[in-house]
């Protein structure tokens, strides 16, 4: 209801729980004065932190199945991974690009082009400011689920069993850098980058450090 939304707004949108980002060609003194004037009536509140309990170690496989009146199946796999600030996060992003970014990626080539098992497949590394997930998602005909699952797990095993090719790694690094700089083309993109660095990583230099880490990652 509207009351629910308003209650949430009043409880969370407090000055001590907000980050105001300004980018561009401006007079910093004037803008700061304008911001202070605009927010002068905002009162601090006792904002309780959102508690997200740490998930216990997963000792076995978990499965969930849901049926709906549709023609195709959606098959998803997920593995526990680190948070955005962990040193492994950039490596997982590169693995994401190598495994499932575009038509030349490993999973697309193997599952769609060679085996004809799926209509679409994607890989993503989700690393927020708490432990995330490494995900593989595919769209396929229902009768090909078992074969697709077997092939996905086989491809994942290959990624852990031997180093990726130098050309694959170099391409992934270029994609990672291009994606980062593409997001900084606009003022809004630059503001978003600064805001995310502060709120998620707690480090205004996080993007720079991330790119430095990407550059140093080896196939090993």
């Amino acid at each position: 209801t509207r009351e629910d939304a308003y209650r949430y707004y009043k409880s969370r949108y407090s000055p001590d729980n907000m980050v105001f980002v300004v980018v561009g060609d401006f007079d910093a003194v004037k803008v700061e004065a304008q911001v202070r004037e605009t927010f002068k009536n905002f009162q601090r509140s006792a904002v309780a932190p959102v508690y997200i309990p740490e998930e216990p170690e997963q000792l076995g496989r978990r499965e969930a199945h849901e049926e709906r009146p549709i023609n195709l199946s959606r098959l998803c796999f997920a593995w526990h991974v680190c948070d955005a600030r962990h040193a492994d996060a950039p490596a997982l992003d590169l693995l994401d690009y190598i495994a499932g970014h575009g038509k030349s990626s490993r999973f697309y080539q193997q599952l769609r082009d060679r085996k004809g098992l799926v209509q679409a497949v994607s890989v993503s590394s989700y690393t927020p400011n708490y432990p995330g997930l490494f995900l593989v998602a595919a769209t396929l005909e229902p009768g090909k689920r078992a074969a697709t699952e077997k092939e996905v797990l086989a491809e994942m095993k290959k990624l852990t069993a031997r180093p990726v090719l130098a050309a694959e790694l170099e391409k992934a690094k270029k994609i990672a850098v291009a994606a980062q700089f593409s997001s900084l083309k606009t003022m809004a993109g630059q503001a978003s980058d600064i805001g995310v660095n502060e709120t998620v990583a707690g480090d205004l230099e996080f993007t720079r450090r991330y790119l430095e880490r990407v550059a140093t990652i080896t196939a090993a």
Side-chain angles (χ1 to χ4, degrees), residues 176-177 180-181 206-216:
V177 172
Q180 192 66 55
F181 281 106
F206 179 75
T207 297
R208 180 177 62 80
R209 299 186 210 283
Y210 173 88
L211 292 173
E212 289 174 350
R213 172 68 178 141
V214 165
T216 65

Side-chain angles (χ1 to χ4, degrees), residues 22-26 187 190:
V22 185
V23 300
D25 182 12
F26 58 87
M187 295 293 101
Q190 292 177 33

Side-chain angles (χ1 to χ4, degrees), residues 40-119:
K40 67 181 181 181
N41 293 325
F42 269 52
Q43 298 298 315
R44 284 177 175 266
S45 62
V47 180
V50 177
Y51 174 65
I52 301 176
E54 185 174 336
E55 188 172 343
E57 182 180 355
Q58 186 174 329
L59 302 176
R61 174 171 168 156
R62 299 177 192 162
E63 291 185 52
H65 299 267
E66 184 178 341
E67 293 193 13
R68 295 186 180 184
I70 54 177
N71 295 327
L72 295 173
S73 281
R74 177 79 167 167
L75 187 59
C76 296
F77 301 82
W79 290 265
H80 293 287
V81 293
C82 58
D83 62 47
R85 292 158 295 191
H86 196 282
D88 286 345
L92 286 166
D93 287 342
L94 295 182
L95 197 63
D96 155 7
Y97 295 136
I98 292 167
H101 188 89
K103 295 182 178 180
S104 63
S105 64
R106 288 192 179 194
F107 278 71
Y108 192 96
Q109 291 276 310
Q110 183 67 7
L111 274 71
R112 191 181 189 281
D113 290 351
R114 297 193 190 103
K115 298 284 186 176
L117 291 171
V118 304
Q119 295 192 9

Side-chain angles (χ1 to χ4, degrees), residues 60 104 123 126 132 157 195:
S104 63
V123 179
Y126 173 60
K157 191 170 183 179

